[in-house]
Structure formats: structure tokens, C-alpha cells
Amino acid sequence: QVQLVESGGGLVQAGGSLRLSCAASGRAFSNYGMGWVRQAPGKEREFVAGIGWSGRSTYYTDSVKGRFTVSRDNAQNTVYLQMNSLKPEDTAVYYCAAKRSGSYAYTVSYDYWGQGTQVTVSS
């Protein structure tokens, strides 16, 4: 079992920045690929960013490339999502998730999920 707890969400104006954190506990954190997935009201969950177990490999959906940066600190069992130049369309609940296998882009790949943190970007 892996327990995930997100923090860092909030309300920000368009063009602003937020840094999300996801603290993991339980089984060896470094064994898992980690992802950030978001869900806007009335929409399906959408892959945002992913990072391999070592931190060397990162993946992003096209709409956030150049604005968001995913990173991890295995010593602290934490993964981060730095979000810059935020847009109103980034408004969603952001979930941290962990996986052992499968594609980062597919939400069905993830084995464990956090409870989510709300990000609201005002225009």
C-alpha cells in the first residue's frame, strides 16, 4: 500500500504560480512512477505530468509543456508539480498518483491515488 497526500492548491490569478506537493508513505516510494492527473468540473480525469522512479524521465501533456515542471525527492518521499503561467483552463482538482507499470498517460495505469487538491485560476 502507498498513501498519498497532496497539498499546495489554492486560488491564484491568471499568470500566477503554484507549487503542488505530494507526500507518500507506505511501501518503497522509489519503486513507483508518479503522475499528476487533474479533473475539471464535468470532465474526465486528464493526465498532466509524470516522472520516472529515478527522476530522470519526465512526461507532460501538450497543454502544460513549458509551463509545468514535475520533480521528485526520493529521500523525502515527495513529488512536486511547479505550475507557472497558470490559465483559467488549468482550474481543476489535481491528484497525485503512483504506478508500477503501464503508460503515464493512461489514468487506468495508476494503482494508488491521493485525495486531490483544488486549483482555481481566476481570469
Side-chain angles (χ1 to χ4, degrees), residues 8-10 12 18 20 83 86 90-94 117-121:
V12 64
L18 282 174
L20 305 184
M83 305 186 295
L86 282 161
D90 295 317
T91 295
V93 176
Y94 282 72
T117 186
Q118 177 71 47
V119 172
T120 303
V121 184

Side-chain angles (χ1 to χ4, degrees), residues 17-65:
S17 298
L18 282 174
R19 188 194 197 200
L20 305 184
S21 298
C22 173
S25 60
R27 306 190 76 173
F29 173 71
S30 60
N31 288 344
Y32 292 85
M34 299 298 297
W36 288 95
V37 174
R38 66 187 179 188
Q39 187 168 23
K43 295 188 177 181
E44 294 185 352
R45 289 190 178 185
E46 172 194 28
F47 166 76
V48 176
I51 187 166
W53 65 272
S54 69
R56 287 195 294 266
S57 299
T58 57
Y59 312 88
Y60 299 94
T61 193
D62 286 346
S63 63
V64 308
K65 285 180 181 176

Side-chain angles (χ1 to χ4, degrees), residues 66-109:
R67 300 189 298 124
F68 290 11
T69 302
V70 61
S71 61
R72 67 190 294 166
D73 183 340
N74 287 341
Q76 298 294 324
N77 285 3
T78 304
V79 63
Y80 304 97
L81 185 66
Q82 177 67 43
M83 305 186 295
N84 299 329
S85 302
L86 282 161
K87 304 176 181 180
E89 51 263 44
D90 295 317
T91 295
V93 176
Y94 282 72
Y95 297 91
C96 170
K99 69 171 192 71
R100 295 292 294 270
S101 62
S103 171
Y104 286 91
Y106 298 135
T107 57
V108 295
S109 296

